[in-house]
Amino acid sequence: MSKKNQSITGAYSFFNCIEKNFDKAARFLSIEKGLLEQIKACNAVYRMHFPVKIGGKIKVIEAYRVQHSHHKLPCKGGIRYSIKVNQDEVMTLAALMTYKCAIVDVPFGGAKGGIKIDPQTMSTENIEKITRRYTSELIKKNFIGPGIDVPAPDYGTGEREMSWIFDTFLSIRPGEVDALACVTGKPISQGGVRGRKEATGLGVFYGIRELCYMKEEMLSVGLDVGLVGKKIIIQGLGNVGYHAANFFHESGAIIVALAEREGAIYNKKGLDVSKVILHLKDTGSILNFPEAKNIENTENALELECDILIPAALENVIHKNNANRIKAKIIGEAANGPITPDADDILEKKGIIIVPDIYLNAGGVTVSYFEWLKNLSHVRYGRMEKRFSENMNAELLQVIENVCKTKISTEEKKIILRGAREIDLVRSGLEDTMISGFHKIRDLKKSYRIENIRTAAFVLAINKIVDSYERLGIFP
Ligand code: GLU
């Protein structure tokens, strides 16, 4: 763990922080200690070093794949490319994946991968070389496969890396009929599913929207019901933060600040997210956006006046040294582990509602699950039923028109007749998952009389995992 991280999280490693949250929840349950220990432990940690020739010189690359839980298979979780990657971080992120999948009823064990590189300073050729070599190391040790362990994008990776992983897998395992399902987050042309890219951001939006519909919760923090007019700060404009910002903006919420590595921008009347993105593309930075004030120190953006704060970048950004200065009434953890346990306690005392990562950012893995199912079934969503439902709707409409002796306008007809496309099915599956997940946690919070949503979410996850261990007959 780096010195800075240690001063932020105190004596604890990142993994200890998650264990602390787990232990808090376990106190509400009477589960055998050994079983709890088994659930918490990382089942397999694969740490590798491999050589890659960069600029004519051999460079040793450090990389990881951690499988936290095998209670369901395959294991599932993204691969992170960052110079800060370390074993503790990958283990923690893998553990979070286990709990996340359990909460949203996605039948996978948790995993995570990481390569310690800074992709922003590397050529595409070198990133490709490293990705392909990493994949063959995973294949060698049986750490990847449609029924074994299925990677996905995470911080620093995207569709491009996923298609290299798939291609490497297929070239080493030719003829494997389900090879497409060895990785998710692929481009549509390579077996990806429509709606995967924006899934985590959209899931964050659905989760926060559902909370904002709850009168009781809104009353507790002195806010009106609904999202319209709510002031939002988003930290991190990567794949998650960018899409979340767009969905919030479209829904009538006001994005008052956006924060990136180089600094933040603020306008209390609201920022037009698409204009900020254009400015970012033109200038390479969000700073100096004409309709906003610059905030040089990006960390200060977290402390601005707002209703909802969405940390959507990396872990431990809200810690014991800044938690007291947070003014938001709601914090939505779009990133994994953005709040340290010390900060969690401080924020809870301040009455801030925290919507935890293990629920809120589960949209990504939920749609990865849909992609995996699509790959295993070898058929696009909607292919079998779209035309059929359109024909049925047309017949039904004809009957209604005959009975009522009125004609429906062509515009109205278009809306009524339309059969579901892949994107419609993926989005409605995601929306349903996020809404039902929210209510499961909320109901459980009430019935167990638990103070905060995070602990309730952990209780839900632990109960689910224990159930599947029992079904396996491992702990009779
Ligand atoms: N990296 C994402 C996460 O942290 C997605 C994982 C996946 O789709 O498997 O949830």
mmCIF file of all heavy atoms in Angstrom, residues 65 76-80 93 97 100-101 108 111-112 150-155 184-185 196 200 336 361-369, ligand 1:
data_model
loop_
_atom_site.group_PDB
_atom_site.id
_atom_site.type_symbol
_atom_site.label_atom_id
_atom_site.label_comp_id
_atom_site.label_asym_id
_atom_site.label_seq_id
_atom_site.Cartn_x
_atom_site.Cartn_y
_atom_site.Cartn_z
ATOM 1 N N ARG A 65 -4.504 -11.575 -11.418
ATOM 2 C CA ARG A 65 -5.908 -11.945 -11.539
ATOM 3 C C ARG A 65 -6.273 -12.605 -10.221
ATOM 4 O O ARG A 65 -5.613 -13.561 -9.791
ATOM 5 C CB ARG A 65 -6.152 -12.901 -12.716
ATOM 6 C CG ARG A 65 -7.631 -13.246 -12.933
ATOM 7 C CD ARG A 65 -8.424 -12.079 -13.505
ATOM 8 N NE ARG A 65 -9.854 -12.376 -13.607
ATOM 9 C CZ ARG A 65 -10.777 -11.473 -13.942
ATOM 10 N NH1 ARG A 65 -10.427 -10.209 -14.193
ATOM 11 N NH2 ARG A 65 -12.037 -11.791 -14.018
ATOM 12 N N LYS A 76 -16.222 -13.428 -12.156
ATOM 13 C CA LYS A 76 -16.467 -12.306 -13.062
ATOM 14 C C LYS A 76 -15.906 -11.022 -12.480
ATOM 15 O O LYS A 76 -16.049 -10.744 -11.289
ATOM 16 C CB LYS A 76 -17.998 -12.167 -13.248
ATOM 17 C CG LYS A 76 -18.394 -11.199 -14.315
ATOM 18 C CD LYS A 76 -18.401 -11.853 -15.675
ATOM 19 C CE LYS A 76 -18.590 -10.835 -16.782
ATOM 20 N NZ LYS A 76 -17.360 -10.078 -17.065
ATOM 21 N N GLY A 77 -15.306 -10.213 -13.322
ATOM 22 C CA GLY A 77 -14.821 -8.905 -12.879
ATOM 23 C C GLY A 77 -13.877 -8.295 -13.893
ATOM 24 O O GLY A 77 -13.293 -9.002 -14.726
ATOM 25 N N GLY A 78 -13.729 -6.996 -13.827
ATOM 26 C CA GLY A 78 -12.958 -6.259 -14.823
ATOM 27 C C GLY A 78 -11.447 -6.416 -14.683
ATOM 28 O O GLY A 78 -10.940 -7.080 -13.769
ATOM 29 N N ILE A 79 -10.753 -5.811 -15.642
ATOM 30 C CA ILE A 79 -9.290 -5.751 -15.600
ATOM 31 C C ILE A 79 -8.889 -4.284 -15.618
ATOM 32 O O ILE A 79 -9.324 -3.521 -16.485
ATOM 33 C CB ILE A 79 -8.650 -6.461 -16.807
ATOM 34 C CG1 ILE A 79 -9.065 -7.931 -16.822
ATOM 35 C CG2 ILE A 79 -7.127 -6.344 -16.757
ATOM 36 C CD1 ILE A 79 -8.565 -8.681 -18.034
ATOM 37 N N ARG A 80 -8.093 -3.894 -14.657
ATOM 38 C CA ARG A 80 -7.697 -2.500 -14.496
ATOM 39 C C ARG A 80 -6.272 -2.279 -14.982
ATOM 40 O O ARG A 80 -5.390 -3.084 -14.680
ATOM 41 C CB ARG A 80 -7.812 -2.184 -12.997
ATOM 42 C CG ARG A 80 -7.374 -0.833 -12.592
ATOM 43 C CD ARG A 80 -7.763 -0.561 -11.163
ATOM 44 N NE ARG A 80 -9.212 -0.400 -11.026
ATOM 45 C CZ ARG A 80 -9.808 0.247 -10.021
ATOM 46 N NH1 ARG A 80 -9.060 0.773 -9.066
ATOM 47 N NH2 ARG A 80 -11.105 0.357 -9.963
ATOM 48 N N LEU A 93 -11.029 -5.364 -4.865
ATOM 49 C CA LEU A 93 -11.993 -5.153 -5.950
ATOM 50 C C LEU A 93 -12.655 -6.474 -6.342
ATOM 51 O O LEU A 93 -13.833 -6.507 -6.691
ATOM 52 C CB LEU A 93 -11.307 -4.493 -7.148
ATOM 53 C CG LEU A 93 -10.748 -3.085 -6.867
ATOM 54 C CD1 LEU A 93 -9.881 -2.610 -8.031
ATOM 55 C CD2 LEU A 93 -11.865 -2.087 -6.603
ATOM 56 N N MET A 97 -16.700 -7.488 -6.116
ATOM 57 C CA MET A 97 -17.458 -8.104 -7.223
ATOM 58 C C MET A 97 -18.353 -9.246 -6.717
ATOM 59 O O MET A 97 -19.480 -9.417 -7.173
ATOM 60 C CB MET A 97 -16.511 -8.653 -8.302
ATOM 61 C CG MET A 97 -15.814 -7.638 -9.169
ATOM 62 S SD MET A 97 -16.869 -6.434 -9.981
ATOM 63 C CE MET A 97 -17.955 -7.449 -10.925
ATOM 64 N N LYS A 100 -21.327 -7.641 -4.999
ATOM 65 C CA LYS A 100 -22.109 -6.936 -6.012
ATOM 66 C C LYS A 100 -22.995 -7.921 -6.793
ATOM 67 O O LYS A 100 -24.190 -7.715 -6.953
ATOM 68 C CB LYS A 100 -21.092 -6.291 -6.976
ATOM 69 C CG LYS A 100 -21.555 -5.101 -7.727
ATOM 70 C CD LYS A 100 -20.474 -4.645 -8.702
ATOM 71 C CE LYS A 100 -19.253 -4.045 -8.033
ATOM 72 N NZ LYS A 100 -18.311 -3.453 -9.035
ATOM 73 N N CYS A 101 -22.372 -9.003 -7.271
ATOM 74 C CA CYS A 101 -23.122 -9.979 -8.069
ATOM 75 C C CYS A 101 -24.239 -10.599 -7.241
ATOM 76 O O CYS A 101 -25.350 -10.792 -7.744
ATOM 77 C CB CYS A 101 -22.190 -11.082 -8.578
ATOM 78 S SG CYS A 101 -21.037 -10.493 -9.821
ATOM 79 N N PHE A 108 -22.580 -15.132 -10.588
ATOM 80 C CA PHE A 108 -21.131 -15.240 -10.757
ATOM 81 C C PHE A 108 -20.435 -15.108 -9.405
ATOM 82 O O PHE A 108 -20.964 -14.474 -8.488
ATOM 83 C CB PHE A 108 -20.603 -14.095 -11.640
ATOM 84 C CG PHE A 108 -21.119 -14.071 -13.062
ATOM 85 C CD1 PHE A 108 -21.440 -12.861 -13.663
ATOM 86 C CD2 PHE A 108 -21.238 -15.235 -13.812
ATOM 87 C CE1 PHE A 108 -21.894 -12.801 -14.981
ATOM 88 C CE2 PHE A 108 -21.683 -15.189 -15.135
ATOM 89 C CZ PHE A 108 -22.013 -13.973 -15.718
ATOM 90 N N ALA A 111 -14.296 -11.622 -9.195
ATOM 91 C CA ALA A 111 -12.880 -11.663 -9.586
ATOM 92 C C ALA A 111 -12.440 -10.267 -9.995
ATOM 93 O O ALA A 111 -13.272 -9.366 -10.149
ATOM 94 C CB ALA A 111 -12.690 -12.625 -10.760
ATOM 95 N N LYS A 112 -11.173 -10.066 -10.147
ATOM 96 C CA LYS A 112 -10.659 -8.801 -10.688
ATOM 97 C C LYS A 112 -9.254 -9.035 -11.215
ATOM 98 O O LYS A 112 -8.535 -9.902 -10.722
ATOM 99 C CB LYS A 112 -10.608 -7.738 -9.580
ATOM 100 C CG LYS A 112 -10.634 -6.325 -10.104
ATOM 101 C CD LYS A 112 -12.035 -5.980 -10.531
ATOM 102 C CE LYS A 112 -12.265 -4.548 -10.806
ATOM 103 N NZ LYS A 112 -13.698 -4.239 -10.748
ATOM 104 N N VAL A 150 -14.387 -14.774 -16.330
ATOM 105 C CA VAL A 150 -14.731 -13.949 -17.491
ATOM 106 C C VAL A 150 -14.408 -12.478 -17.211
ATOM 107 O O VAL A 150 -15.154 -11.795 -16.515
ATOM 108 C CB VAL A 150 -16.236 -14.105 -17.836
ATOM 109 C CG1 VAL A 150 -16.616 -13.273 -19.057
ATOM 110 C CG2 VAL A 150 -16.592 -15.572 -18.059
ATOM 111 N N PRO A 151 -13.285 -11.973 -17.737
ATOM 112 C CA PRO A 151 -12.936 -10.567 -17.502
ATOM 113 C C PRO A 151 -13.862 -9.575 -18.213
ATOM 114 O O PRO A 151 -14.732 -9.968 -19.008
ATOM 115 C CB PRO A 151 -11.520 -10.445 -18.063
ATOM 116 C CG PRO A 151 -11.022 -11.824 -18.244
ATOM 117 C CD PRO A 151 -12.240 -12.675 -18.466
ATOM 118 N N ALA A 152 -13.658 -8.310 -17.941
ATOM 119 C CA ALA A 152 -14.486 -7.227 -18.502
ATOM 120 C C ALA A 152 -13.669 -5.935 -18.370
ATOM 121 O O ALA A 152 -12.607 -5.934 -17.754
ATOM 122 C CB ALA A 152 -15.787 -7.119 -17.718
ATOM 123 N N PRO A 153 -14.169 -4.830 -18.898
ATOM 124 C CA PRO A 153 -13.430 -3.570 -18.751
ATOM 125 C C PRO A 153 -13.478 -3.040 -17.316
ATOM 126 O O PRO A 153 -14.374 -3.366 -16.546
ATOM 127 C CB PRO A 153 -14.176 -2.601 -19.677
ATOM 128 C CG PRO A 153 -15.068 -3.429 -20.529
ATOM 129 C CD PRO A 153 -15.358 -4.664 -19.758
ATOM 130 N N ASP A 154 -12.514 -2.247 -16.975
ATOM 131 C CA ASP A 154 -12.486 -1.520 -15.702
ATOM 132 C C ASP A 154 -11.684 -0.250 -15.968
ATOM 133 O O ASP A 154 -11.442 0.110 -17.135
ATOM 134 C CB ASP A 154 -11.857 -2.403 -14.605
ATOM 135 C CG ASP A 154 -12.168 -1.892 -13.197
ATOM 136 O OD1 ASP A 154 -13.274 -2.175 -12.705
ATOM 137 O OD2 ASP A 154 -11.335 -1.186 -12.605
ATOM 138 N N TYR A 155 -11.224 0.393 -14.925
ATOM 139 C CA TYR A 155 -10.453 1.628 -15.056
ATOM 140 C C TYR A 155 -9.254 1.412 -16.017
ATOM 141 O O TYR A 155 -8.458 0.497 -15.809
ATOM 142 C CB TYR A 155 -9.950 2.022 -13.659
ATOM 143 C CG TYR A 155 -9.267 3.344 -13.581
ATOM 144 C CD1 TYR A 155 -9.994 4.519 -13.447
ATOM 145 C CD2 TYR A 155 -7.872 3.423 -13.626
ATOM 146 C CE1 TYR A 155 -9.353 5.745 -13.370
ATOM 147 C CE2 TYR A 155 -7.233 4.647 -13.548
ATOM 148 C CZ TYR A 155 -7.977 5.802 -13.415
ATOM 149 O OH TYR A 155 -7.339 7.011 -13.340
ATOM 150 N N THR A 184 -16.390 -10.116 -21.474
ATOM 151 C CA THR A 184 -17.524 -9.243 -21.828
ATOM 152 C C THR A 184 -17.028 -7.800 -21.974
ATOM 153 O O THR A 184 -15.877 -7.503 -21.660
ATOM 154 C CB THR A 184 -18.642 -9.305 -20.770
ATOM 155 O OG1 THR A 184 -18.099 -8.861 -19.530
ATOM 156 C CG2 THR A 184 -19.224 -10.691 -20.642
ATOM 157 N N GLY A 185 -17.937 -6.951 -22.474
ATOM 158 C CA GLY A 185 -17.539 -5.561 -22.734
ATOM 159 C C GLY A 185 -16.876 -5.453 -24.094
ATOM 160 O O GLY A 185 -16.109 -4.528 -24.352
ATOM 161 N N ARG A 196 -23.957 -2.059 -23.202
ATOM 162 C CA ARG A 196 -22.970 -2.416 -22.188
ATOM 163 C C ARG A 196 -22.109 -1.219 -21.785
ATOM 164 O O ARG A 196 -21.803 -1.021 -20.612
ATOM 165 C CB ARG A 196 -22.058 -3.559 -22.680
ATOM 166 C CG ARG A 196 -20.870 -3.887 -21.739
ATOM 167 C CD ARG A 196 -21.360 -4.364 -20.384
ATOM 168 N NE ARG A 196 -20.295 -4.581 -19.404
ATOM 169 C CZ ARG A 196 -19.764 -3.650 -18.641
ATOM 170 N NH1 ARG A 196 -20.175 -2.391 -18.728
ATOM 171 N NH2 ARG A 196 -18.829 -3.951 -17.764
ATOM 172 N N THR A 200 -22.936 0.903 -16.538
ATOM 173 C CA THR A 200 -22.648 1.235 -15.138
ATOM 174 C C THR A 200 -23.212 2.621 -14.813
ATOM 175 O O THR A 200 -23.858 2.814 -13.778
ATOM 176 C CB THR A 200 -21.131 1.171 -14.852
ATOM 177 O OG1 THR A 200 -20.621 -0.035 -15.415
ATOM 178 C CG2 THR A 200 -20.832 1.207 -13.380
ATOM 179 N N ASN A 336 -15.641 2.095 -7.115
ATOM 180 C CA ASN A 336 -15.515 1.032 -6.120
ATOM 181 C C ASN A 336 -14.724 1.562 -4.930
ATOM 182 O O ASN A 336 -13.612 2.057 -5.096
ATOM 183 C CB ASN A 336 -14.786 -0.176 -6.721
ATOM 184 C CG ASN A 336 -15.652 -0.914 -7.727
ATOM 185 O OD1 ASN A 336 -16.799 -1.249 -7.445
ATOM 186 N ND2 ASN A 336 -15.122 -1.151 -8.918
ATOM 187 N N ASN A 361 -23.001 0.451 -8.359
ATOM 188 C CA ASN A 361 -22.296 0.326 -9.647
ATOM 189 C C ASN A 361 -22.402 -1.083 -10.251
ATOM 190 O O ASN A 361 -21.600 -1.469 -11.101
ATOM 191 C CB ASN A 361 -20.858 0.839 -9.564
ATOM 192 C CG ASN A 361 -19.946 -0.046 -8.736
ATOM 193 O OD1 ASN A 361 -20.128 -1.262 -8.691
ATOM 194 N ND2 ASN A 361 -18.955 0.550 -8.095
ATOM 195 N N ALA A 362 -23.437 -1.802 -9.827
ATOM 196 C CA ALA A 362 -23.607 -3.176 -10.325
ATOM 197 C C ALA A 362 -24.196 -3.237 -11.737
ATOM 198 O O ALA A 362 -24.354 -4.320 -12.303
ATOM 199 C CB ALA A 362 -24.481 -3.973 -9.358
ATOM 200 N N GLY A 363 -24.524 -2.097 -12.316
ATOM 201 C CA GLY A 363 -25.113 -2.080 -13.660
ATOM 202 C C GLY A 363 -24.177 -2.663 -14.708
ATOM 203 O O GLY A 363 -24.620 -3.322 -15.656
ATOM 204 N N GLY A 364 -22.880 -2.431 -14.533
ATOM 205 C CA GLY A 364 -21.893 -2.921 -15.502
ATOM 206 C C GLY A 364 -21.891 -4.439 -15.551
ATOM 207 O O GLY A 364 -22.037 -5.052 -16.622
ATOM 208 N N VAL A 365 -21.787 -5.053 -14.384
ATOM 209 C CA VAL A 365 -21.716 -6.522 -14.381
ATOM 210 C C VAL A 365 -23.078 -7.128 -14.735
ATOM 211 O O VAL A 365 -23.158 -8.223 -15.316
ATOM 212 C CB VAL A 365 -21.141 -7.065 -13.043
ATOM 213 C CG1 VAL A 365 -22.127 -6.981 -11.903
ATOM 214 C CG2 VAL A 365 -20.667 -8.500 -13.218
ATOM 215 N N THR A 366 -24.154 -6.405 -14.450
ATOM 216 C CA THR A 366 -25.480 -6.905 -14.820
ATOM 217 C C THR A 366 -25.584 -7.038 -16.342
ATOM 218 O O THR A 366 -26.006 -8.071 -16.872
ATOM 219 C CB THR A 366 -26.580 -5.947 -14.293
ATOM 220 O OG1 THR A 366 -26.461 -5.865 -12.887
ATOM 221 C CG2 THR A 366 -27.962 -6.418 -14.673
ATOM 222 N N VAL A 367 -25.152 -5.992 -17.048
ATOM 223 C CA VAL A 367 -25.244 -6.062 -18.511
ATOM 224 C C VAL A 367 -24.162 -6.997 -19.076
ATOM 225 O O VAL A 367 -24.351 -7.620 -20.118
ATOM 226 C CB VAL A 367 -25.256 -4.647 -19.133
ATOM 227 C CG1 VAL A 367 -25.269 -4.731 -20.650
ATOM 228 C CG2 VAL A 367 -26.487 -3.876 -18.643
ATOM 229 N N SER A 368 -23.043 -7.139 -18.362
ATOM 230 C CA SER A 368 -22.063 -8.158 -18.759
ATOM 231 C C SER A 368 -22.702 -9.541 -18.714
ATOM 232 O O SER A 368 -22.433 -10.401 -19.559
ATOM 233 C CB SER A 368 -20.861 -8.150 -17.796
ATOM 234 O OG SER A 368 -19.908 -7.213 -18.198
ATOM 235 N N TYR A 369 -23.538 -9.748 -17.717
ATOM 236 C CA TYR A 369 -24.264 -11.029 -17.598
ATOM 237 C C TYR A 369 -25.150 -11.224 -18.830
ATOM 238 O O TYR A 369 -25.171 -12.303 -19.435
ATOM 239 C CB TYR A 369 -25.070 -10.997 -16.297
ATOM 240 C CG TYR A 369 -26.053 -12.121 -16.068
ATOM 241 C CD1 TYR A 369 -25.703 -13.446 -16.308
ATOM 242 C CD2 TYR A 369 -27.330 -11.847 -15.578
ATOM 243 C CE1 TYR A 369 -26.617 -14.462 -16.072
ATOM 244 C CE2 TYR A 369 -28.239 -12.863 -15.338
ATOM 245 C CZ TYR A 369 -27.885 -14.168 -15.588
ATOM 246 O OH TYR A 369 -28.783 -15.180 -15.354
HETATM 247 N N1 GLU B 1 -15.399 -3.512 -13.910
HETATM 248 C C1 GLU B 1 -16.810 -3.463 -13.708
HETATM 249 C C2 GLU B 1 -17.129 -3.493 -12.226
HETATM 250 O O1 GLU B 1 -16.319 -3.135 -11.406
HETATM 251 C C3 GLU B 1 -17.563 -4.482 -14.522
HETATM 252 C C4 GLU B 1 -17.273 -5.913 -14.237
HETATM 253 C C5 GLU B 1 -17.899 -6.896 -15.232
HETATM 254 O O2 GLU B 1 -18.659 -6.478 -16.073
HETATM 255 O O3 GLU B 1 -17.586 -8.077 -15.119
HETATM 256 O O4 GLU B 1 -18.218 -3.777 -11.822
#
